[in-house]
Amino acid sequence: MTDALVLNASPAAADIRKIVADLGYPSHWHWCWENYKPTIIELSRNRGLRRHLEIGAGRDPLFQPDEAAELGLDITLNDISAHELALAPSGYGKMECDITSPRAPDILGRGKYDLAYCRMVMEHVPDVPAMWRNIAEVLAPGGVALSFFPTLYALPYTLNRLMPERMSRFILETLFPERKPDGDDPKFPAYYDHCFSSEGKIAPMLHQAGFSDAVVLPFWGYAYFSKIPGVKQIYAAFNRVAERRDWRAVSSFAYVIATK
Ligand SMILES: C[S@@+](CC[C@H](N)C(=O)[O-])C[C@H]1O[C@@H](n2cnc3c(N)ncnc32)[C@H](O)[C@@H]1O
């Protein structure tokens, strides 16, 4: 298992680390997809964090309304796109705004949430420090924020960032038809600002935004080459080595869990 990074090892950060360890954190990419929601549930339970904000929730929020009710969560969904929010189920508060806008804290409510999180959103935000500053503003004291995002310099994301949007869109939509604009999982333009799993690149930005502690969990591997025989096996072997040696520069995904 790769050691998760703990900044300022305060009791709060140690708690977060324990929660993730108890969930069985390994640094393989399957785990990060399957365990984001359980991590949020466990954090909510462990700390009594009831008022949730999902940023960039889109059409597919993490929790269905009946799950939220069962867990006793009061969830607000945010997205920059009214269209995406309209496709999300009803039964939540819905707030349309750009999370980086200077107006976002007033629109969403200062100090109004205990837990704010996003999944596959950070890479689409051109000004990630502004996003984290606004998240800090909308969290209550002691609030927690999570982000789950793809990281550079994993090959598929590096190519996506370097290629013109039209070219990367064509390739992705050819390999995965569900990523077309009218599909179930459309592609959004990606910038990968601050999309790294290394402490040095993330921690200063979080501290400046107003967070006191953070845990960064790296993950290696992805499904992008699963349909290309040969390449699939080569990249799987490379990712296994990278994972064993904790090569953060080539991780594929990360969780950041930050405490205000
Ligand atoms: C790849 S989708 C992920 C949707 C959802 N979180 C999920 O995991 O299925 C990215 C979402 O982020 C939203 N988004 C992009 N930039 C945003 C911003 N600046 N503020 C709020 N939402 C944003 C997009 O509209 C889109 O719904």
Side-chain angles (χ1 to χ4, degrees), residues 99-100 122 124-133 191 193-194:
I99 190 61
T100 67
M122 208 163 105
H124 302 293
V125 170
D127 184 355
V128 163
M131 165 180 146
W132 282 95
R133 281 196 302 275
Y191 309 96
D193 182 32
H194 283 81

Side-chain angles (χ1 to χ4, degrees), residues 25-29 31-32 151 217-221 251-255:
Y25 164 72
S27 43
H28 192 263
W29 69 277
W31 192 93
C32 65
T151 58
L217 304 171
F219 302 92
W220 285 267
S251 67
S252 312
F253 300 99
Y255 287 2

Side-chain angles (χ1 to χ4, degrees), residues 35 49 55 97 139 162 190 247:
N35 284 279
L49 307 174
I55 297 152
C97 76
L139 282 177
L162 294 176
W247 289 344

Side-chain angles (χ1 to χ4, degrees), residues 56-58 60 78-80 84 97-99 119-121 124 188:
D60 188 19
N78 153 261
D79 205 281
I80 196 172
E84 289 297 315
C97 76
D98 176 353
I99 190 61
R119 178 182 64 184
M120 299 301 130
V121 175
H124 302 293
F188 296 89

